[in-house]
Coordinates of all heavy atoms in Angstrom, one line a residue:
Chain A
F35 N -27.0 -3.2 -15.8 CA -28.2 -2.4 -16.0 C -28.6 -2.3 -17.4 O -29.6 -1.6 -17.7 CB -27.9 -1.0 -15.4 CG -27.9 -1.0 -13.9 CD1 -26.7 -0.9 -13.2 CD2 -29.0 -1.2 -13.1 CE1 -26.6 -1.0 -11.8 CE2 -29.0 -1.3 -11.7 CZ -27.8 -1.2 -11.1
T36 N -27.9 -3.0 -18.3 CA -28.5 -3.1 -19.6 C -28.9 -4.5 -20.0 O -29.7 -4.7 -20.9 CB -27.4 -2.6 -20.7 OG1 -26.2 -3.3 -20.5 CG2 -27.1 -1.1 -20.6
L39 N -30.1 -9.0 -14.5 CA -29.3 -9.8 -13.5 C -28.7 -11.1 -14.2 O -27.6 -11.5 -13.9 CB -30.2 -10.3 -12.4 CG -30.5 -9.2 -11.3 CD1 -31.6 -9.6 -10.5 CD2 -29.2 -8.9 -10.5
A40 N -29.4 -11.6 -15.2 CA -28.9 -12.8 -15.8 C -27.6 -12.6 -16.5 O -26.8 -13.5 -16.6 CB -30.0 -13.4 -16.8
S46 N -30.1 -18.1 -9.7 CA -31.1 -19.0 -10.4 C -32.3 -19.0 -9.5 O -32.4 -18.4 -8.5 CB -30.5 -20.4 -10.5 OG -30.3 -20.9 -9.2
D47 N -33.3 -19.8 -10.0 CA -34.5 -19.9 -9.2 C -34.3 -20.6 -7.9 O -35.0 -20.3 -6.9 CB -35.6 -20.6 -10.1 CG -36.0 -19.8 -11.3 OD1 -36.0 -18.6 -11.1 OD2 -36.4 -20.4 -12.3
N48 N -33.4 -21.5 -7.9 CA -33.1 -22.2 -6.6 C -32.2 -21.3 -5.7 O -32.2 -21.5 -4.5 CB -32.4 -23.5 -6.8 CG -33.4 -24.6 -7.2 OD1 -34.5 -24.6 -6.8 ND2 -32.9 -25.5 -8.1
P50 N -31.7 -17.7 -5.2 CA -32.1 -16.3 -5.5 C -31.1 -15.3 -4.9 O -31.1 -14.1 -5.3 CB -33.5 -16.1 -5.0 CG -33.7 -17.2 -4.0 CD -32.8 -18.3 -4.4
W51 N -30.4 -15.7 -3.9 CA -29.5 -14.7 -3.2 C -28.1 -15.3 -3.3 O -27.8 -16.4 -3.0 CB -29.8 -14.6 -1.7 CG -31.0 -13.7 -1.5 CD1 -31.8 -13.0 -2.4 CD2 -31.6 -13.3 -0.2 NE1 -32.8 -12.3 -1.8 CE2 -32.7 -12.5 -0.5 CE3 -31.3 -13.6 1.1 CZ2 -33.4 -11.9 0.6 CZ3 -32.0 -13.1 2.1 CH2 -33.1 -12.3 1.9
Y77 N -19.6 6.9 24.7 CA -20.6 7.9 25.2 C -21.6 7.3 26.2 O -22.1 8.0 27.1 CB -21.4 8.5 24.1 CG -20.5 9.3 23.1 CD1 -20.5 9.0 21.8 CD2 -19.7 10.3 23.6 CE1 -19.7 9.7 20.9 CE2 -18.9 11.0 22.8 CZ -18.9 10.7 21.4 OH -18.1 11.4 20.6
D109 N -28.4 -5.5 -6.7 CA -29.0 -6.8 -6.5 C -30.5 -6.9 -6.8 O -31.0 -7.9 -7.3 CB -28.7 -7.3 -5.0 CG -29.2 -8.7 -4.8 OD1 -28.6 -9.6 -5.3 OD2 -30.2 -8.9 -4.1
G111 N -34.2 -6.4 -8.3 CA -34.6 -6.4 -9.7 C -35.0 -5.0 -10.2 O -34.7 -4.6 -11.3
R112 N -35.7 -4.2 -9.3 CA -36.1 -2.9 -9.7 C -35.7 -1.9 -8.6 O -36.5 -1.5 -7.8 CB -37.7 -2.9 -9.9 CG -38.2 -3.9 -10.8 CD -39.6 -3.6 -11.2 NE -40.3 -4.8 -11.7 CZ -41.5 -4.7 -12.4 NH1 -42.1 -3.5 -12.6 NH2 -42.0 -5.8 -12.8
R115 N -37.5 1.0 -7.0 CA -38.6 0.8 -6.1 C -38.2 0.6 -4.7 O -39.0 0.2 -3.8 CB -39.4 -0.4 -6.6 CG -40.2 -0.1 -7.8 CD -41.1 -1.3 -8.2 NE -42.0 -1.0 -9.3 CZ -42.8 -1.9 -9.8 NH1 -42.8 -3.1 -9.4 NH2 -43.6 -1.6 -10.8
V122 N -45.2 3.1 -0.3 CA -46.3 2.6 -1.1 C -47.1 1.6 -0.3 O -48.3 1.7 0.0 CB -45.9 2.0 -2.4 CG1 -47.0 1.4 -3.1 CG2 -45.3 3.1 -3.3
Q123 N -46.4 0.5 0.1 CA -47.1 -0.6 0.8 C -46.2 -1.4 1.7 O -45.4 -2.1 1.2 CB -47.7 -1.5 -0.3 CG -48.6 -2.6 0.3 CD -49.5 -3.2 -0.8 OE1 -50.6 -2.7 -1.1 NE2 -49.0 -4.2 -1.5
G125 N -44.7 -4.2 4.0 CA -45.0 -5.6 4.3 C -44.5 -5.8 5.7 O -43.4 -6.3 6.0
T127 N -45.0 -7.9 8.0 CA -44.6 -9.2 8.6 C -43.3 -9.7 8.1 O -42.8 -10.7 8.6 CB -45.6 -10.3 8.1 OG1 -45.7 -10.2 6.7 CG2 -47.0 -10.0 8.7
S128 N -42.6 -8.9 7.3 CA -41.3 -9.3 6.7 C -40.2 -8.8 7.6 O -40.1 -7.7 8.0 CB -41.2 -8.8 5.3 OG -39.9 -9.0 4.8
T181 N -29.0 -2.9 17.0 CA -29.5 -4.2 17.7 C -30.6 -4.8 16.8 O -30.5 -6.0 16.5 CB -30.1 -3.9 19.0 OG1 -29.2 -3.1 19.8 CG2 -30.4 -5.2 19.8
L190 N -33.7 -13.2 9.0 CA -34.2 -13.4 7.7 C -34.3 -14.9 7.3 O -35.1 -15.3 6.6 CB -33.2 -12.8 6.6 CG -33.2 -11.2 6.5 CD1 -32.1 -10.9 5.5 CD2 -34.5 -10.7 6.1
S196 N -36.1 -25.4 6.3 CA -35.9 -26.6 5.5 C -34.8 -26.4 4.5 O -34.3 -27.3 3.9 CB -37.2 -26.9 4.7 OG -37.6 -25.8 3.9
K197 N -34.3 -25.1 4.4 CA -33.2 -24.9 3.4 C -31.8 -24.7 4.0 O -30.8 -24.9 3.3 CB -33.6 -23.7 2.6 CG -34.8 -23.9 1.7 CD -35.0 -22.7 0.8 CE -36.3 -22.9 0.0 NZ -36.5 -21.7 -0.8
H342 N -29.5 -29.1 0.8 CA -30.1 -30.3 0.4 C -30.1 -30.5 -1.2 O -30.5 -31.6 -1.6 CB -31.6 -30.3 0.8 CG -32.4 -29.1 0.3 ND1 -32.1 -27.8 0.7 CD2 -33.3 -29.1 -0.7 CE1 -32.9 -27.0 0.0 NE2 -33.7 -27.8 -0.8
Chain C
G10 N -49.9 2.8 1.6 CA -49.3 3.4 2.8 C -49.7 2.9 4.1 O -50.4 1.9 4.2
R83 N -38.0 -28.1 -12.5 CA -38.7 -27.3 -11.5 C -39.4 -26.2 -12.3 O -39.2 -26.0 -13.4 CB -37.8 -26.8 -10.4 CG -36.7 -25.8 -10.9 CD -36.3 -24.9 -9.8 NE -37.3 -23.9 -9.6 CZ -37.5 -23.2 -8.5 NH1 -36.6 -23.3 -7.5 NH2 -38.5 -22.3 -8.3
S121 N -45.5 -13.9 3.9 CA -44.9 -13.4 5.2 C -43.6 -12.7 4.9 O -43.2 -11.8 5.6 CB -44.7 -14.7 6.1 OG -44.1 -14.3 7.2
A122 N -42.9 -13.2 3.9 CA -41.5 -12.7 3.6 C -41.5 -11.4 2.9 O -40.6 -10.6 3.0 CB -40.7 -13.7 2.9
F124 N -41.6 -7.8 1.6 CA -41.6 -6.5 2.4 C -42.4 -5.4 1.7 O -42.4 -4.3 2.2 CB -40.2 -6.1 2.7 CG -39.3 -5.6 1.6 CD1 -38.2 -4.8 1.9 CD2 -39.6 -5.9 0.3 CE1 -37.4 -4.3 0.8 CE2 -38.8 -5.5 -0.7 CZ -37.7 -4.7 -0.5
V125 N -43.1 -5.7 0.6 CA -44.0 -4.8 0.1 C -45.4 -5.4 0.0 O -46.3 -4.9 -0.6 CB -43.7 -4.2 -1.3 CG1 -42.6 -3.2 -1.2 CG2 -43.3 -5.3 -2.2
K126 N -45.6 -6.6 0.7 CA -46.9 -7.2 0.7 C -47.4 -7.4 -0.7 O -48.6 -7.1 -1.0 CB -47.9 -6.4 1.5 CG -49.2 -7.1 1.9 CD -50.0 -6.2 2.8 CE -51.3 -6.6 3.3 NZ -51.9 -7.9 3.1
E140 N -47.4 -7.5 -9.3 CA -46.1 -7.1 -9.8 C -46.0 -5.5 -9.7 O -44.8 -5.0 -9.8 CB -45.9 -7.5 -11.2 CG -46.9 -6.9 -12.2 CD -46.3 -7.0 -13.7 OE1 -45.4 -6.3 -13.9 OE2 -46.9 -7.7 -14.5
C143 N -43.8 -5.0 -6.6 CA -42.6 -5.8 -6.3 C -41.3 -5.1 -6.6 O -41.1 -4.5 -7.6 CB -42.7 -7.1 -7.2 SG -41.2 -8.1 -7.1
V144 N -40.4 -5.2 -5.6 CA -39.1 -4.6 -5.7 C -38.1 -5.5 -6.4 O -37.1 -5.1 -6.9 CB -38.6 -4.1 -4.3 CG1 -37.3 -3.4 -4.4 CG2 -39.6 -3.2 -3.7
G145 N -38.3 -6.8 -6.3 CA -37.4 -7.7 -6.9 C -36.3 -8.2 -5.9 O -35.2 -8.5 -6.3
C146 N -36.6 -8.2 -4.6 CA -35.6 -8.6 -3.7 C -35.4 -10.1 -3.6 O -34.4 -10.6 -3.2 CB -35.9 -8.1 -2.3 SG -37.4 -8.9 -1.6
R147 N -36.4 -10.8 -4.0 CA -36.4 -12.3 -4.2 C -36.4 -13.0 -2.8 O -36.0 -14.2 -2.7 CB -35.3 -12.8 -5.0 CG -35.2 -12.1 -6.4 CD -34.2 -12.6 -7.3 NE -32.9 -12.4 -6.8 CZ -32.2 -11.3 -6.8 NH1 -32.7 -10.2 -7.2 NH2 -31.0 -11.2 -6.3
Y148 N -36.8 -12.3 -1.7 CA -36.8 -12.9 -0.4 C -38.0 -14.0 -0.4 O -37.9 -15.0 0.3 CB -37.1 -11.8 0.6 CG -37.0 -12.3 2.1 CD1 -36.2 -13.4 2.4 CD2 -37.7 -11.7 3.1 CE1 -36.2 -13.9 3.7 CE2 -37.7 -12.1 4.4 CZ -36.9 -13.2 4.7 OH -36.9 -13.6 6.0
M150 N -38.6 -16.0 -2.7 CA -38.0 -17.3 -3.2 C -37.2 -18.0 -2.1 O -37.2 -19.2 -2.1 CB -37.2 -17.0 -4.4 CG -38.0 -16.3 -5.6 SD -37.0 -15.6 -6.8 CE -36.3 -17.0 -7.6
I151 N -36.5 -17.2 -1.3 CA -35.8 -17.8 -0.2 C -36.7 -18.4 0.7 O -36.5 -19.5 1.3 CB -35.0 -16.7 0.6 CG1 -33.9 -16.1 -0.3 CG2 -34.5 -17.1 1.9 CD1 -32.6 -16.9 -0.3
C153 N -40.0 -19.5 0.4 CA -41.0 -20.6 0.0 C -40.4 -22.0 0.2 O -39.4 -22.3 -0.4 CB -41.4 -20.5 -1.5 SG -42.3 -21.8 -2.1
E156 N -40.1 -24.2 -3.0 CA -39.2 -23.8 -4.1 C -40.0 -23.5 -5.3 O -39.7 -24.0 -6.4 CB -38.1 -24.8 -4.3 CG -37.2 -24.9 -3.1 CD -36.3 -26.1 -3.1 OE1 -36.3 -26.9 -4.0 OE2 -35.6 -26.3 -2.1
Y160 N -38.0 -16.2 -11.0 CA -37.7 -14.8 -11.3 C -37.3 -14.6 -12.7 O -36.5 -15.4 -13.3 CB -36.7 -14.2 -10.3 CG -36.7 -12.7 -10.2 CD1 -37.8 -12.1 -9.7 CD2 -35.6 -11.9 -10.6 CE1 -37.9 -10.7 -9.6 CE2 -35.7 -10.5 -10.5 CZ -36.8 -9.9 -10.0 OH -36.9 -8.6 -9.9
Y162 N -34.9 -13.2 -14.4 CA -33.6 -12.6 -14.3 C -33.1 -11.9 -15.5 O -32.2 -11.1 -15.5 CB -32.5 -13.7 -13.9 CG -32.7 -14.3 -12.5 CD1 -33.2 -15.5 -12.3 CD2 -32.2 -13.5 -11.4 CE1 -33.3 -16.0 -11.0 CE2 -32.3 -14.0 -10.2 CZ -32.9 -15.2 -9.9 OH -33.0 -15.7 -8.7
V165 N -34.6 -6.5 -17.9 CA -33.8 -5.4 -17.3 C -34.7 -4.5 -16.5 O -34.4 -4.1 -15.4 CB -33.1 -4.6 -18.5 CG1 -32.3 -3.5 -17.9 CG2 -32.3 -5.5 -19.3
P168 N -38.5 -7.0 -14.4 CA -38.5 -8.4 -14.0 C -39.6 -8.7 -13.0 O -39.9 -7.9 -12.1 CB -37.1 -8.6 -13.4 CG -36.7 -7.2 -12.9 CD -37.4 -6.3 -13.9
R249 N -40.7 -33.0 0.0 CA -40.0 -33.0 1.3 C -41.0 -33.3 2.4 O -42.1 -32.7 2.5 CB -39.3 -31.7 1.6 CG -38.2 -31.5 0.6 CD -37.3 -30.3 1.0 NE -36.6 -30.6 2.2 CZ -35.7 -29.8 2.8 NH1 -35.4 -28.7 2.1 NH2 -35.0 -30.1 3.9
W275 N -34.4 -0.9 25.3 CA -33.0 -0.5 25.1 C -32.8 1.0 25.6 O -31.8 1.2 26.3 CB -32.6 -0.7 23.7 CG -31.6 -1.8 23.4 CD1 -30.6 -1.7 22.5 CD2 -31.6 -3.1 23.9 NE1 -29.9 -2.9 22.5 CE2 -30.5 -3.7 23.4 CE3 -32.3 -3.8 24.9 CZ2 -30.1 -5.0 23.7 CZ3 -32.0 -5.1 25.2 CH2 -30.9 -5.7 24.6
Y283 N -25.9 5.0 31.0 CA -25.2 6.3 30.8 C -25.3 7.1 32.1 O -24.3 7.6 32.6 CB -25.9 7.0 29.7 CG -25.6 8.5 29.6 CD1 -24.4 8.9 29.1 CD2 -26.5 9.4 30.1 CE1 -24.1 10.3 29.1 CE2 -26.3 10.8 30.1 CZ -25.1 11.2 29.5 OH -24.8 12.5 29.5

Side-chain angles (χ1 to χ4, degrees):
Chain A
F35 290 105
T36 53
L39 284 164
S46 65
D47 291 329
N48 280 329
W51 282 0
Y77 297 126
D109 186 72
R112 306 195 199 194
R115 285 184 175 176
V122 175
Q123 185 163 271
T127 52
S128 172
T181 309
L190 287 180
S196 57
K197 294 186 180 176
H342 60 290
Chain C
R83 62 152 290 160
S121 176
F124 70 159
V125 281
K126 198 175 174 6
E140 64 159 293
C143 173
V144 182
C146 66
R147 308 185 299 284
Y148 186 29
M150 299 164 68
I151 292 279
C153 173
E156 293 163 4
Y160 201 62
Y162 288 105
V165 182
R249 297 191 65 173
W275 250 221
Y283 165 77

